[in-house]
Amino acid sequence: MLESRGQLDFVRQQVRAQAQPWKGTFDAMMASQYASLGYVAKPRAVVDCGPYDHPDNGCSDERRDADAAYTSALAWYLTGDERYARKSIQVMDAWSATLTDHTGSNAPLQSGWAASVWTRAAEIVRYTYSGSWPDLARFQDLLRNVYLPKVITGSTSNGNWELSMIEAAQGIGVFLEDRHAYDTAATMYLDRVPAYIYLTSDGPQPRISVRTHASTPDQITKYWWGQSTLVDGVAQETCRDFAHTGYGLSAIAHIAETSRIQQHDLYPQVADRLRVALELHSKYQLGQPMPTWLCGGQLQRELGPITEVAYNALHNRMHLDLPDTERLTDKQRPAGLDMFSMWETLTHADNPG
């Protein structure tokens, strides 16, 4: 998921050739705490999360540990040093031996964020490391019994919540070879993406997900954070802030990328929306003056390093024009770590797949 073996082979070749931007991102990854062979996991039985990590009872620890497992898995494949594969397994085993539940108002979102990264790590290790993983079945049970129930039913909250949960459900479906979970995630995805990114062809009002309670024009405008003037690419959370919108756009790209690798390519069904959303948000992130009709002229421009996967897919593979996204992608390189978007200049920059 997210990267095929062929894509990882391409990255390994570029790193060994000391080609940029891959080598620079690789060096940054290997210098981070997440690639440390001395990294120590901090599992707990119950992770309790509130809004914006208030309270934070294991929430940031769980996300950091998932990031460390994934980073170590990448380090293993790109260096061939088995110590990193064993470190990734060690971190995953620590949590599969301990975690029993997520609680608090943000439990579904926390589950989505963590599981979407755990499964990437586990997939790489499972299919590329020839050493033993005695507790693999226990980790599978963790995904099946602790994470999947929290994410598989979707969300009535903001779109970035559900998209993150869908990414997790899809990843769990792939890792467990659970076709029902995968198909459920794909169905939710094809309902949520058109309800998250507006196209003029939608008509005078944005589409609404079947799991969203807003129905009247006033309710819909409130759900879209007060934005009533609609143009191609405006997202449901644009007027909330670019950071949360970026989480949603990142998840949209990750899910489509995994679907392509699984020979169930969803890019054609979301490409138009994803392209215009990336262009609109990239343009303003690059500093174009705010129009008063968009969010009252007050935008919180905090779009993270979330463009690499989508830009590579839409521009390099599908040959779509994304000039503002290209400029922003170049400006933000090397893309580091931002929630569940990690080291994506390394893994996806100009990667033919």
Side-chain angles (χ1 to χ4, degrees), residues 121-156:
E123 186 85 346
I124 292 172
V125 171
R126 182 184 187 182
Y127 290 106
T128 68
Y129 177 55
S130 60
S132 64
W133 186 357
D135 293 315
L136 169 60
R138 190 178 70 196
F139 184 78
Q140 291 174 308
D141 287 342
L142 176 73
L143 295 176
R144 182 180 296 108
N145 300 323
V146 177
Y147 287 101
L148 188 59
K150 287 289 195 294
V151 299
I152 196 63
T153 57
S155 172
T156 62

Side-chain angles (χ1 to χ4, degrees), residues 94-316:
W95 280 88
S96 70
T98 308
L99 183 65
T100 61
D101 199 9
H102 293 87
T103 61
S105 60
N106 273 32
L109 180 61
Q110 174 72 16
S111 299
W113 281 343
S116 64
V117 180
W118 286 128
T119 49
R120 292 178 215 164
E123 186 85 346
I124 292 172
V125 171
R126 182 184 187 182
Y127 290 106
T128 68
Y129 177 55
S130 60
S132 64
W133 186 357
D135 293 315
L136 169 60
R138 190 178 70 196
F139 184 78
Q140 291 174 308
D141 287 342
L142 176 73
L143 295 176
R144 182 180 296 108
N145 300 323
V146 177
Y147 287 101
L148 188 59
K150 287 289 195 294
V151 299
I152 196 63
T153 57
S155 172
T156 62
S157 188
N158 288 294
N160 89 87
W161 269 56
E162 182 162 84
L163 288 162
S164 297
M165 293 161 64
I166 292 169
E167 182 178 354
Q170 181 198 48
I172 293 170
V174 170
F175 190 72
L176 298 181
E177 298 184 352
D178 181 337
R179 185 58 185 259
H180 176 72
Y182 180 93
D183 287 346
T184 300
T187 298
M188 287 194 293
Y189 179 74
L190 294 175
D191 170 67
R192 175 58 74 170
V193 175
Y196 195 66
I197 301 169
Y198 177 80
L199 285 179
T200 304
S201 58
D202 295 334
Q205 290 185 341
R207 295 190 189 183
I208 296 297
S209 166
V210 296
R211 286 167 299 285
T212 302
H213 299 312
S215 58
T216 69
D218 287 346
Q219 289 173 335
I220 294 171
T221 298
K222 182 179 179 180
Y223 184 62
W224 278 62
W225 294 82
Q227 183 63 22
S228 57
T229 301
L230 300 172
V231 300
D232 284 345
V234 170
Q236 183 255 316
E237 294 182 274
T238 298
C239 295
R240 180 186 187 183
D241 57 50
F242 276 23
H244 287 88
T245 304
Y247 298 158
L249 299 180
S250 176
I252 290 171
H254 290 171
I255 294 162
E257 190 73 7
T258 294
S259 75
R260 183 189 66 85
I261 293 167
Q262 294 296 317
Q263 301 183 41
H264 176 228
D265 193 353
L266 294 171
Y267 272 119
Q269 298 184 65
V270 303
D272 287 344
R273 292 180 191 272
L274 185 55
R275 180 185 66 81
V276 294
L278 286 170
E279 282 294 279
L280 183 143
H281 292 85
S282 294
K283 174 175 63 178
Y284 293 116
Q285 183 66 34
L286 286 165
Q288 179 157 318
M290 307 295 187
T292 57
W293 58 264
L294 182 60
C295 312
Q298 301 294 320
L299 293 177
Q300 295 188 44
R301 291 183 277 196
E302 303 165 341
L303 197 67
I306 56 89
T307 60
E308 291 278 13
V309 175
Y311 177 74
N312 185 57
L314 299 180
H315 180 72
N316 294 334

Side-chain angles (χ1 to χ4, degrees), residues 41-102:
K42 297 180 179 179
R44 63 173 65 199
V46 177
V47 174
D48 179 53
C49 303
Y52 299 95
D53 284 346
H54 299 296
D56 179 358
N57 296 318
C59 316
S60 54
D61 286 340
E62 181 183 27
R63 296 196 300 270
R64 277 193 296 267
D65 287 357
D67 292 347
Y70 176 55
T71 300
S72 295
L74 286 174
W76 139 246
Y77 196 82
L78 298 179
T79 67
D81 188 335
E82 293 188 8
R83 294 178 299 170
Y84 291 107
R86 292 194 293 269
K87 174 57 66 175
S88 184
I89 291 171
Q90 182 186 77
V91 174
M92 290 187 281
D93 281 352
W95 280 88
S96 70
T98 308
L99 183 65
T100 61
D101 199 9
H102 293 87

